[in-house]
Amino acid sequence: MTDDLCPREAEVLRACESGTWPADLADHVSRCDACREVQAVARVLREAVDAEDAAQLPTAHDIWWRAQWQARQEARARAMRPLDRMERAEPLVALVAVVALLVLRGDVLLSQLTGWATSNSTGQVLQAVMPPALLPVLLVGAGLGALVFLVGIGAVLAND
């Protein structure tokens, strides 16, 4: 860095900006250390500015479109909130309903199923395959399995 000032530094800056160098100014720069330094600094700054990506600001249309899209998404989320709560509560409600049915009418249901299982045609086959005491356990297991299956199908269809 030179401490000497040259009266032609402003001309050197203008020439660097425009890219046109008069012959006498180019000759002066080759002999003057201060002007050569001005030229080097201007070149480095120009290269930095040229290399820098110009930030593209979104248009007003893009900003409006994004705001409308976000408003629609928020309205959809608000509208779906009660349905989402019901979807999460659905398995619990189904389980409570099955337990209530079994508690209130389980004896009638069990006697009907036992009567069906011990009838002549199906009873002989079931008694040959499994003991009669195992039937209620299997029926409750099949019922709970069907309940889990139906709740799973409901969850899959709800996530379309």
Side-chain angles (χ1 to χ4, degrees), residues 6-160:
C6 179
R8 298 192 72 184
E9 287 180 3
E11 291 177 60
V12 172
L13 277 177
R14 282 193 294 277
C16 286
E17 288 176 6
S18 67
T20 56
W21 288 85
D24 65 325
L25 187 60
D27 185 47
H28 170 76
V29 169
S30 66
R31 287 181 278 116
C32 178
D33 289 337
C35 289
R36 210 173 18 254
E37 186 176 332
V38 168
Q39 180 188 22
V41 169
R43 183 182 307 128
V44 169
L45 290 176
R46 173 57 51 199
E47 289 171 1
V49 167
D50 290 343
E52 183 178 296
D53 291 335
Q56 294 291 328
L57 295 177
T59 64
H61 178 266
D62 291 340
I63 293 171
W64 176 256
W65 183 84
R66 285 185 195 135
Q68 292 298 313
W69 180 80
Q70 185 176 2
R72 283 192 305 270
Q73 292 298 324
E74 290 171 359
R76 180 187 173 278
R78 276 193 311 276
M80 292 298 291
R81 203 169 293 134
L83 295 175
D84 291 339
R85 286 190 198 120
M86 287 304 295
E87 187 177 303
R88 285 192 297 270
E90 186 179 75
L92 180 63
V93 171
L95 184 62
V96 167
V98 168
V99 168
L101 178 66
L102 289 175
V103 168
L104 297 176
R105 303 297 291 176
D107 55 343
V108 174
L109 184 63
L110 190 58
S111 67
Q112 290 288 334
L113 289 174
T114 306
W116 171 78
T118 57
S119 67
N120 287 337
S121 60
T122 57
Q124 293 171 356
V125 173
L126 286 175
Q127 286 176 1
V129 175
M130 67 179 176
L134 190 58
L135 181 63
V137 174
L138 289 176
L139 291 175
V140 169
L144 289 176
L147 176 69
V148 168
F149 177 74
L150 290 175
V151 168
I153 291 294
V156 167
L157 293 178
N159 287 332
D160 283 346

